[in-house]
Every structure is written in C-alpha cells, then in structure tokens.
Amino acid sequence: MTVLGVPVACVDRSGMLDAVEELVQRGQATVAYLNVHVANQAAGDPALLAFLQGVDLCYADGAGVLLGARLLGERLPERMTGADWIWDLAARAEGRLRLAWIGGAEGVTEAAAEALRERHPGLQVWTDHGFHQDVPALIARCNAFAPDIVLVGMGTPTQERWVRRWRPDLQAPVVWCTGATADFLSGQTSRGPEWLHQNQEWLARLLTEPRRLWRRYLVGNPLFLARVIRSRLRRPR
C-alpha cells in the first residue's frame, strides 16, 4: 500500500526479515522505513521522497503509520521499530550473515554490537561511527569486511542522503537505514518505560527528551494526520 506517496510493505516482523534475506540473495538492494517523522520530512523534501519511493523494501516503523493506513482504508500488520527487530535480525544472522553497522557518535555502534554479541556470541559485526570526513576510506574498510548487510543509522534525512550518495560504492548485498537503533541498544538514549514504549512509543520518547522532540511529536503528529486525511479526501470516489 502507499502512505503519502511512499510504498509500504504489508508485512509483519518475520515477513520483513524474510524479505531482507531474499534481498541478500538478490544483491544491490536498499531497505528503509516510514514513520511519522520520516513522512513529514519527505513531504517537504522531494529528494527524500524519491529515495523512499525507489528503495527495494520500506516498512512501517511506528504506530502513526498504522493509524494513517487505517484512515486510508488499508491495514498494516504491525509496527517494526529497530530496537525491537534488531534482536531478531541478530538471531537470524548468527553464524550465517555478516553485519556492518555505521552511524552515531564514536563508540555507539560498537556498544550496540557488543550488546548483540552478549546474546549471540557467534554474530559477526563490524562497526564504525558516522562522522567521518574521509567517507571513501570508511567504505573501503567496510567493503574489506565483506558484510552481507550494512546498517546505517544517522537519523532522517541524513542517513537517507548518505545512502543515496554512497550506495553504489558499498559492495554489500543490502544497505539498510536504521535510525536511532544503535543509540537505544548502547544505552545512549532511553526508550522510556517498557509498558509505555510498547504502546505509545512517541509519548515515551517525548517524555525522555522533551526539549529536543516536542516539535517532532506535538506538531508533527497532527500535521501527519492532517496530510493523511487530506489524501483520503482527495481520492476519487
């Protein structure tokens, strides 16, 4: 289905990971996600919208997108947030797939990878931070590791611009935009109380970082819903 011009795969978490494994076999694929913040950014950024429209797999990463789909008369199975599905990916990859993880401040992706290795000691993960001036050298190191999947977590729209620019140079079969997943796993950023983030993650994040995120959620959420309703009303009867 399509939400505000972005095709979103109608899959649950298991189906999403099945699709990623198929893309690993196919090669030269790109994976991204849609949540309310990404949709709002894409509404004013034609290049970001075109990127999302052109990826091989885009999935729902938030309850807001599921609500938007219902308002459009469709239904998506579930939201798939990186801090949740990363554990399933690690379980599937252990002993089978090599992962590279780029993004965040120095040490953040390594701390996140170490958390995964504690539960999955056979997991092979190469990491680096997201603030390199010499990107070709970074990509050369990544390619030398020969990953099957490269996770890129730099926040929207930085990560999408980065992937759009450097995807041709990355030799991995799959490159996957992952947002703040490493920040959560490393403990750099709190998700808030589990009972809250499992039901209303936007509210949990707002409570943990109100000064940084108030505009994203208190302004962005109503704006997203208004755009969805306008899109529904503009549909031919």
Side-chain angles (χ1 to χ4, degrees), residues 78-100:
E78 63 175 309
R79 69 180 182 90
M80 290 165 283
T81 299
D84 296 325
W85 60 247
I86 191 68
W87 300 102
D88 300 311
L89 175 63
R92 289 191 181 213
E94 185 175 17
R96 298 178 56 242
L97 300 173
R98 295 161 67 86
L99 307 181

Side-chain angles (χ1 to χ4, degrees), residues 65-81:
V65 174
L66 271 63
L67 175 58
R70 289 198 296 273
L71 291 173
L72 291 169
E74 305 283 351
R75 186 168 294 274
L76 292 167
E78 63 175 309
R79 69 180 182 90
M80 290 165 283
T81 299

Side-chain angles (χ1 to χ4, degrees), residues 177-198:
C177 297
T178 59
T181 302
D183 292 328
F184 294 128
L185 256 67
S186 67
Q188 184 82 4
T189 300
S190 170
R191 296 183 75 187
E194 183 174 0
W195 64 269
L196 185 57
H197 73 65
Q198 289 298 329

Side-chain angles (χ1 to χ4, degrees), residues 36-170:
V36 168
H37 175 62
V38 175
N40 284 338
Q41 292 286 305
D45 186 339
L48 175 58
L49 178 60
F51 173 84
L52 295 170
Q53 291 171 335
V55 299
D56 300 275
L57 174 67
C58 184
Y59 58 92
D61 173 47
V65 174
L66 271 63
L67 175 58
R70 289 198 296 273
L71 291 173
L72 291 169
E74 305 283 351
R75 186 168 294 274
L76 292 167
E78 63 175 309
R79 69 180 182 90
M80 290 165 283
T81 299
D84 296 325
W85 60 247
I86 191 68
W87 300 102
D88 300 311
L89 175 63
R92 289 191 181 213
E94 185 175 17
R96 298 178 56 242
L97 300 173
R98 295 161 67 86
L99 307 181
W101 204 343
I102 301 171
E106 192 165 358
V108 169
T109 50
E110 178 53 36
E114 186 56 35
L116 295 179
R117 292 191 200 100
E118 288 179 5
R119 191 177 299 181
H120 303 282
L123 183 66
Q124 297 184 71
V125 190
W126 176 90
T127 66
D128 213 324
H129 63 85
F131 295 95
H132 286 280
Q133 297 297 317
D134 190 352
V135 177
L138 166 68
I139 289 176
R141 293 193 298 273
C142 181
N143 288 339
F145 179 72
D148 298 290
I149 300 173
V150 177
L151 308 174
V152 180
M154 301 176 181
T156 298
T158 301
Q159 64 193 7
E160 290 85 1
R161 291 172 180 165
W162 193 94
V163 171
R164 185 178 68 239
R165 168 63 181 85
W166 298 107
R167 180 64 185 100
D169 298 280
L170 289 161

